[in-house]
Amino acid sequence: GTYDAFTRLNQESELVATKLRADIDNTARQLQSLAESSLVWTGLTDSYGREGYLKPLLARFNAPGGSPYTVLDYRGRLFVGTTGPALQQMLASKAIRGAVRDGRARHAMVALEGGRRVLLMVVPVISQQTPSTVGFILASVDPDAALAGLPLRPGLTVALGAGDSAAVGPSAGMLPLSMTQRIRAGGETFPVEVTARVSRSGAPVLLLTFVIAAITGVLGL
């Protein structure tokens, strides 16, 4: 029974990691594609008419159900994109401040209202005329939305850890049954730790194992 429980958890954690890897990799590659676009770095240095071509460009990338892409200026402030409470929380994260300070790609888990945690990724936009950072492209991956269509058992909890943000530890009532996958995705390499755990809804199998062991022990005595 224990072997079966761990086998199922391993299979489900592989499924979860594969789906998240695909979503994270796709988002990261799109970020890199936008960061290398001449339209983006030209728009970041253009004082007139920039929204006329930047907004249609972002609209092509911002497919329904996907991750919205946002352009930030060299100080990490909103330049072109959709505003909202979630974006404001992302802009205030350590990942944005670190990217602005170092001019390098960053990623981190960001807690939003309602208890959601999303994977935030940001890459710098380097001007082709002068080798300097003129802005940033930001996007996020929502693990809950990414895993919504997977046939996972009830009681399976998935936690993500990235950068300085460790995966959320087990809450009260969680069994010590977990599997961890480490994935890397995107041209900028965004390592993410995915941990799958079984809650008390998966207890019957382990309880049965304990009962059988107890009966066997008593009969042996």
Side-chain angles (χ1 to χ4, degrees):
T2 304
Y3 173 78
D4 178 69
F6 274 100
T7 300
R8 286 185 57 197
L9 181 61
N10 184 62
Q11 292 172 346
E12 290 179 328
S13 66
E14 287 280 0
L15 180 63
V16 166
T18 299
K19 180 63 168 66
L20 290 176
R21 183 184 294 110
D23 284 22
I24 294 169
D25 187 67
N26 180 64
T27 302
R29 291 183 186 280
Q30 297 276 42
L31 276 172
Q32 194 61 33
S33 177
L34 279 170
E36 295 172 355
S37 171
S38 59
L39 290 178
V40 174
W41 66 261
T42 300
L44 282 163
T45 57
D46 186 8
S47 301
Y48 302 98
R50 59 198 180 197
E51 292 191 359
Y53 51 86
L54 281 183
K55 283 188 174 180
L57 176 65
L58 290 180
R60 292 201 301 269
F61 281 82
N62 291 338
S67 173
Y69 295 86
T70 304
V71 180
L72 310 179
D73 67 8
Y74 70 100
R75 292 185 177 179
R77 300 172 299 189
L78 177 63
F79 193 79
V80 176
T82 304
T83 60
L87 178 61
Q88 294 303 318
Q89 289 174 289
M90 293 180 193
L91 293 180
S93 68
K94 292 182 179 179
I96 299 296
R97 295 198 296 270
V100 172
R101 181 182 65 249
D102 303 332
R104 299 173 58 186
R106 289 296 186 98
H107 71 300
M109 297 302 300
V110 178
L112 305 180
E113 293 181 358
R116 288 194 307 133
R117 298 177 83 239
V118 299
L119 173 63
L120 169 68
M121 295 182 286
V122 57
V123 298
V125 179
I126 309 298
S127 172
Q128 297 181 12
Q129 296 178 338
T130 59
S132 60
T133 302
V134 294
F136 300 88
I137 304 291
L138 175 151
S140 63
V141 174
D142 186 343
D144 293 336
L147 303 177
L150 294 184
L152 303 176
R153 82 175 94 175
L156 185 73
T157 302
V158 177
L160 264 67
D164 297 331
S165 306
V168 177
S171 59
M174 298 291 291
L175 294 172
L177 185 61
S178 65
M179 290 288 176
T180 299
Q181 302 278 349
R182 291 177 177 83
I183 62 177
R184 293 178 178 272
E188 284 288 347
T189 307
F190 295 96
V192 180
E193 184 178 281
V194 183
T195 302
R197 298 185 178 92
V198 179
S199 66
R200 280 181 175 173
S201 62
V205 172
L206 296 184
L207 180 60
L208 176 63
T209 304
F210 174 77
V211 171
I212 293 175
I215 294 175
T216 304
V218 171
L219 292 177
L221 292 174

